[in-house]
Amino acid sequence: NLRNWSSCRIFIWMIKMVDLYNIPNDNHDDFRLKKFVEYQHAVPEIHFRFLGEYIKAHKLSFDDVILICWLLSVTYNEITVLFLMDFIKNKITDYGQFWIEYKDRLNFGSAKKYNKNNDLFPILMQDFNKETNEKYWEWVEKFITKDSVQTYKNIHNGVEKINNVGRFSADLFLETIVYLKDYLGMNVSEPFELDWKHCANLTSGIYNIFYEDEKANEYDKTGFIEAGAEKFLTEKLKVIQEKIGETYPDQDNEVVMFIGKICSFRNLFKKR
């Protein structure tokens, strides 16, 4: 139908013409900051809260907690994590065979579909078990220090050391640990001084919140950030944290609890 096709083309053209940076009522002061703070509160990160409350309700062992953190970092899907835990409890002896049988039934989150599509799950499980000798909590304990930030860095580095694991996976692993730090009796907190050159949407998202849109787009294209940008980004991350605490004093404003939402906020400014 030519009429329908013509209407469709006009609609697509209109979408392309939308200026994602000129938002109605945006006063170019702290409008975007306020909107982000409202957004992250209204639509909070759910996976570590869901799993954290499940862990507390079922009084799971520390070994189980760390295994759950790992499974989340691999699958990015809470339901899949709990499904896998049932099988692991029944002693999977061959992850390769398990994967052949169950791959099509398992749902991986969007950011972890690469692991599923490239059959990395059995490799990741085998490598993690080899690294930890399946003594998961004992493995984490060796990273704990008196300095909460250093503890975070140690665990992050330990997770990233495992083959096929990157920054985002290590972040996911630690989100649940930070959420459960009282349950685990740990003193752990994320540093402000991040590796901004390799923080993907987190870096460009902060640029967008503070109206540095050209820098956000340039960073996404080239990975380039100018001299002094690390200081700017670190300071602005603190501003966001303080604004969350000021606006929602009952909300836990630990950095790891909201940085994922900065990444998704960045997507609002990307033309698909």
Side-chain angles (χ1 to χ4, degrees), residues 50-167:
F50 174 88
L51 291 171
E53 293 307 313
Y54 177 90
I55 286 165
K56 288 189 283 187
H58 291 81
K59 297 180 174 59
L60 296 188
S61 71
F62 287 6
D63 275 334
D64 284 348
V65 171
I66 303 308
L67 181 55
I68 283 174
C69 292
W70 174 253
L71 291 172
L72 179 64
S73 77
V74 171
T75 68
Y76 200 25
N77 185 295
E78 310 89 278
I79 304 303
T80 297
V81 167
L82 297 184
F83 178 82
L84 289 169
M85 284 296 290
D86 273 347
F87 280 90
I88 292 170
K89 285 288 187 182
N90 290 323
K91 299 294 182 185
I92 297 175
T93 55
D94 185 344
Y95 279 99
Q97 185 59 40
F98 171 83
W99 187 242
I100 291 170
E101 293 180 26
Y102 288 95
K103 173 183 176 179
D104 292 341
R105 307 186 203 182
L106 298 175
N107 190 7
F108 282 44
S110 57
K112 290 298 168 187
K113 287 193 182 299
Y114 180 88
N115 287 345
K116 179 177 181 178
N117 296 339
N118 290 277
D119 299 315
L120 288 176
F121 174 77
I123 298 170
L124 285 161
M125 291 304 303
Q126 289 159 7
D127 286 348
F128 182 62
N129 284 336
K130 181 179 179 181
E131 176 68 22
T132 62
N133 199 27
E134 297 187 49
K135 297 177 180 178
Y136 307 123
W137 174 246
E138 185 177 310
W139 177 74
V140 167
E141 274 190 307
K142 71 182 183 181
F143 299 123
I144 298 175
T145 71
K146 293 180 180 179
D147 184 322
S148 63
V149 171
Q150 190 58 53
T151 295
Y152 187 99
K153 290 179 179 179
N154 291 346
I155 298 172
H156 201 282
N157 291 338
V159 174
E160 275 199 292
K161 175 185 171 184
I162 299 169
N163 290 335
N164 298 300
V165 175
R167 179 198 61 83

